[in-house]
Amino acid sequence: MKPHSTVRSAVQRALCVGAFATAASYAPTALAQDDAEIEEITVTGSRLVRQDYQSASPISTVDAQQFLDTGAPTIETVLNTLPQFVPSITSTSNNPSNGGQANVSLRGLGTTRTLVLLDGRRIVPSNATGVVDLNLIPASIIQNVEVITGGASAVYGSDAVAGVVNIRTRDFQGLEITGGYGETSEGDGDRTNIGITGGMELADGRGYAFGSFNWADRGGVVQGDRAFSEVAVDYDTATGDFEPLGSSTIRQGRWDALTANLPSQAAVDTYFAGVPGYTPGDAAPGDNYGFNPDGSIFNTSPVINFTGDPNEPLQPVNPSTYTYNYAPPNYLELPLERKSFFGKMGFDVNDTTEIFGQVVWANYTADQALAPTPATALYINADNPNLDPGVATLLASRPNPDLPFRFRKRMTESGPRISANEYNVFQATAGMEGELTFLDGWDWNLYASWGSVEQDENQLGNVSRSAFEELSLADDHGASICGAPINPFGIDSLSSDDNCYVDYYTRAAANKTTIRQTVAEGFVTGSMFDMPAGEALLAVGLMYKGDEYAFLADPSLTATSQDPITGSSRTDIVGFNAQDNVRGKTNSTEVYLEASFPLLAGLPLVDMLDFTAGYRYADHNIVGGINSYKGELTWDLNDSFRLRGGYQRAVRAPNI
């Protein structure tokens, strides 16, 4: 069995308690390649195995302690402090439509162009774009994380356009118990981590086993809990300041501009004639109009006749444009609860062959919360008895006064839109590695892995247009269903003791996503021949990868209804995006090689001159043949000065 560099021979127990603050920041040290004396090493970004390997592409290493010191339950918190990363979808990303996942983006080129590996092997992705969710990796299993910021498609295949994040797991003997608790300076956003890790030798040192069980819980924090985020803001290029942001989908009424069935200008001027400072024409028939608490209307731009209180930012009114303030219900940090297990083992069959296996299991929940549904293009009968008399007179001035008018409203009565996501992840890997007995100095490696991700999403807060209009367009305005005519004109105007209206048009939805990945790979590596400056090395491999994806949408999200005015088809659900069922699969068979040639050594100004080349051909079932290649040159002038560079062609194959 190969020696382990981080073995601890004695039983160890540790209890760690950490504190967290919302304003705290942490910048880990990026380390160069390990200078310890090691017989042979494989560095991320290469399949070649040799002593003192130095990569032509920049590699940084973050050790395990830096992840543990932060107390964060997910590792992207630390990685995003490195300059190679541009923070992407993280624990503070509330609305990226990815189900609360945590992803990383090298050099800002996107999550789909950053390949995440576990011990040099692929991790089952968590969405249709092939991206790995880092929520499933606890810090306690990490030895270090190697980050290569250069195209690595020639070595690892698709997805490695921007580079590779390789999570190396620990080798450990003994018992370790870790725990931590903390909260923000405001007393919320509490975090708890508990981990039990153990490892042992087997069969007089011929084998080893390692396992780690972890539980983590992170409390959510919403934007309304902080003064700096309780009002939605935008950057004003004219003033150079951040200003409160209005929303185009607000608690407004808007006349039916779609069919040009608008009130007359004279009627609008008459309605606002008593407002101090109003000049005829200041408000136009096609403007956006909101409802005041007393049922009267006001123009939002310019603001005319607003009678509410603009100084209450936590009310559903933005003090800049008196439109809906959607910020408070949104998460600043997503809640997360995770249970996970990681295990691996190995056994020396003989002096030249080792078998190994690895298992990853995780169950975790990650929720998202958005402001209540902005229901647009709803229709209401113009003779609704709850309409303010002045507004009813205004509607009567339309060319066709008997038609319903178009209406939009933040459905605050239905509560915020909640997306509750539960993930079940399992991946198993088994393989063999060893020395080729018939070729001196050659090694081989063969493994296969199968992974599965199942995501259950439960949505709350969707609104059915057709159900709402069964109330609003009925001859009795919904009184036969809920006991009184519907009154949507104002904040919380639809609330009632029995919530009949809300229950009638609000919809929950349940979506199911299933992902499967199968990988089989084998490669050999060794010395081709001797050169004056050292051994010429070669690695040759073959890989198969297959991905399957299925998304089963709730029937309510695929339903359509008919616009009562235009007759056109429309998606019936508003709130979360309407979605269709999706199913697909991709596969590829890939062959690759990598070779290193030490050209010169031991000369003046040339301590070492090394050239590395790589090529990969992938036969993809969707797009056919794909070529990736690289050429890299490393020139050590002396012990203190090195020049390195390369040219690579990296490829992002299509996702499902």
Side-chain angles (χ1 to χ4, degrees):
M1 186 175 64
K2 295 182 178 179
H4 305 298
S5 60
T6 58
V7 169
R8 303 181 191 180
S9 57
V11 174
Q12 298 186 3
R13 296 177 177 86
L15 179 63
C16 306
V17 178
F20 308 88
T22 54
S25 62
Y26 179 75
T29 304
L31 304 176
Q33 283 109 22
D34 195 346
D35 292 330
E37 291 295 329
I38 300 175
E39 291 185 4
E40 59 183 22
I41 186 170
T42 302
V43 171
T44 299
S46 175
R47 293 291 186 189
L48 299 173
V49 179
R50 67 186 189 190
Q51 291 182 339
D52 303 324
Y53 187 87
Q54 298 290 349
S55 171
S57 296
I59 295 179
S60 296
T61 302
V62 185
D63 65 34
Q65 192 60 45
Q66 295 165 347
F67 293 101
L68 294 173
D69 287 347
T70 66
T74 55
I75 66 173
E76 97 285 349
T77 304
V78 174
L79 294 178
N80 281 329
T81 65
L82 296 175
Q84 299 95 317
F85 292 90
V86 174
S88 180
I89 300 170
T90 69
S91 62
T92 61
S93 301
N94 182 58
N95 189 23
S97 300
N98 81 325
Q101 296 179 23
N103 310 136
V104 288
S105 173
L106 276 169
R107 299 191 291 173
L109 294 180
T111 59
T112 60
R113 297 177 180 88
T114 301
L115 180 61
V116 178
L117 303 173
L118 187 65
D119 288 327
R121 296 182 285 266
R122 287 178 175 263
I123 307 173
V124 59
S126 294
N127 55 46
T129 64
V131 174
V132 172
D133 183 7
L134 292 179
N135 279 331
L136 67 92
I137 304 294
S140 61
I141 73 170
I142 296 175
Q143 171 63 30
N144 57 51
V145 176
E146 293 180 343
V147 180
I148 177 171
T149 49
S153 287
V155 177
Y156 295 113
S158 180
D159 313 342
V161 175
V164 175
V165 177
N166 185 20
I167 303 165
R168 292 187 178 272
T169 60
R170 301 170 65 187
D171 293 320
F172 172 76
Q173 290 185 39
L175 178 66
E176 180 182 80
I177 300 175
T178 59
Y181 174 82
E183 60 186 24
T184 73
S185 58
E186 300 294 328
D188 56 10
D190 55 299
R191 301 175 180 180
T192 306
N193 296 284
I194 298 174
I196 302 176
T197 301
M200 66 177 66
E201 288 188 348
L202 305 172
D204 297 325
R206 293 181 61 189
Y208 70 93
F210 171 88
S212 181
F213 177 82
N214 292 267
W215 176 79
D217 183 77
R218 180 180 66 211
V221 179
V222 297
Q223 291 181 212
D225 291 336
R226 299 292 187 273
F228 65 81
S229 59
E230 64 184 7
V231 176
V233 297
D234 194 14
Y235 184 72
D236 189 329
T237 56
T239 64
D241 296 325
F242 286 95
E243 299 290 349
L245 174 69
S247 169
S248 61
T249 50
I250 58 176
R251 54 170 190 85
Q252 300 171 347
R254 186 175 183 181
W255 322 127
D256 192 10
L258 188 64
T259 58
N261 192 31
L262 298 174
S264 67
Q265 181 65 58
V268 171
D269 291 337
T270 299
Y271 184 86
F272 291 111
V275 177
Y278 181 80
T279 301
D282 286 350
D287 289 348
N288 287 329
Y289 295 92
F291 283 88
N292 288 309
D294 61 2
S296 63
I297 62 172
F298 67 95
N299 192 320
T300 65
S301 182
V303 176
I304 301 170
N305 197 42
F306 180 72
T307 63
D309 182 1
N311 298 314
E312 287 291 336
L314 292 184
Q315 294 296 320
V317 176
N318 189 307
S320 174
T321 57
Y322 308 134
T323 58
Y324 181 79
N325 177 27
Y326 57 79
N330 289 266
Y331 277 124
L332 272 177
E333 183 167 64
L334 308 184
L336 171 76
E337 183 180 10
R338 180 189 65 219
K339 299 181 289 291
S340 64
F341 173 79
F342 173 81
K344 66 178 180 179
M345 65 176 299
F347 187 80
D348 289 339
V349 179
N350 52 44
D351 292 340
T352 61
T353 304
E354 179 188 1
I355 59 174
F356 60 87
Q358 183 173 285
V359 173
V360 178
W361 171 85
N363 169 269
Y364 57 97
T365 59
D367 295 348
Q368 296 169 280
L370 302 174
T373 292
T376 60
L378 301 174
Y379 290 93
I380 298 179
N381 278 337
D383 61 349
N384 186 294
N386 291 305
L387 269 174
D388 177 82
V391 177
T393 300
L394 194 61
L395 289 169
S397 71
R398 296 177 300 162
N400 191 339
D402 295 329
L403 280 180
F405 66 94
R406 191 170 60 162
F407 179 82
R408 53 186 174 181
K409 174 185 174 72
R410 282 282 182 168
M411 311 300 278
T412 55
E413 299 88 350
S414 298
R417 287 167 288 168
I418 302 295
S419 171
N421 300 277
E422 180 178 6
Y423 292 86
N424 285 284
V425 182
F426 177 79
Q427 182 166 5
T429 302
M432 303 176 66
E433 63 181 355
E435 302 173 5
L436 290 176
T437 56
F438 56 89
L439 282 177
D440 185 39
W442 282 76
D443 297 327
W444 60 276
N445 187 296
L446 178 67
Y447 76 91
S449 71
W450 182 87
S452 168
V453 174
E454 294 188 353
Q455 175 192 0
D456 292 302
E457 180 194 18
N458 292 301
Q459 297 177 353
L460 301 175
N462 289 320
V463 171
S464 166
R465 287 168 165 160
S466 60
F468 182 91
E469 289 165 353
E470 286 176 16
L471 301 168
S472 65
L473 296 181
D475 290 340
D476 64 352
H477 312 285
S480 60
I481 297 175
C482 288
I486 190 170
N487 178 17
F489 311 115
I491 300 172
D492 292 334
S493 60
L494 291 164
S495 298
S496 61
D497 292 338
D498 59 3
N499 280 327
C500 174
Y501 302 114
V502 177
D503 292 342
Y504 195 81
Y505 61 71
T506 302
R507 296 289 185 267
N511 302 321
K512 177 78 172 182
T513 300
T514 303
I515 299 170
R516 304 280 189 266
Q517 184 179 79
T518 302
V519 176
E521 184 173 12
F523 62 91
V524 295
T525 179
S527 174
M528 294 184 289
F529 49 81
D530 290 332
M531 298 181 67
E535 292 182 319
L537 303 178
L538 176 69
V540 179
L542 179 68
M543 186 185 86
Y544 169 83
K545 184 172 75 75
D547 293 283
E548 299 180 41
Y549 174 86
F551 173 77
L552 182 62
D554 189 275
S556 66
L557 298 179
T558 63
T560 60
S561 59
Q562 190 177 54
D563 188 293
I565 300 299
T566 67
S568 60
S569 178
R570 63 184 182 181
T571 56
D572 186 58
I573 287 292
V574 288
F576 288 98
N577 293 334
Q579 296 174 280
D580 291 323
N581 296 330
V582 178
R583 184 183 299 273
K585 61 176 62 178
T586 63
N587 64 77
S588 65
T589 302
E590 309 180 20
V591 60
Y592 58 90
L593 60 88
E594 185 180 10
S596 176
F597 302 95
L599 303 178
L600 297 172
L603 300 176
L605 297 180
V606 185
D607 190 51
M608 172 63 73
L609 183 64
D610 187 277
F611 175 72
T612 301
Y615 174 77
R616 190 181 195 98
Y617 176 80
D619 182 12
H620 197 283
N621 72 313
I622 301 298
V623 296
I626 300 173
N627 295 284
S628 304
Y629 50 80
K630 71 172 184 176
E632 300 172 330
L633 191 68
T634 302
W635 176 14
D636 289 354
L637 281 78
N638 50 48
D639 291 339
S640 304
F641 194 69
R642 173 184 299 123
L643 296 174
R644 60 185 181 180
Y647 179 86
Q648 301 196 29
R649 181 180 192 266
V651 175
R652 175 68 170 98
N655 57 55
I656 294 174

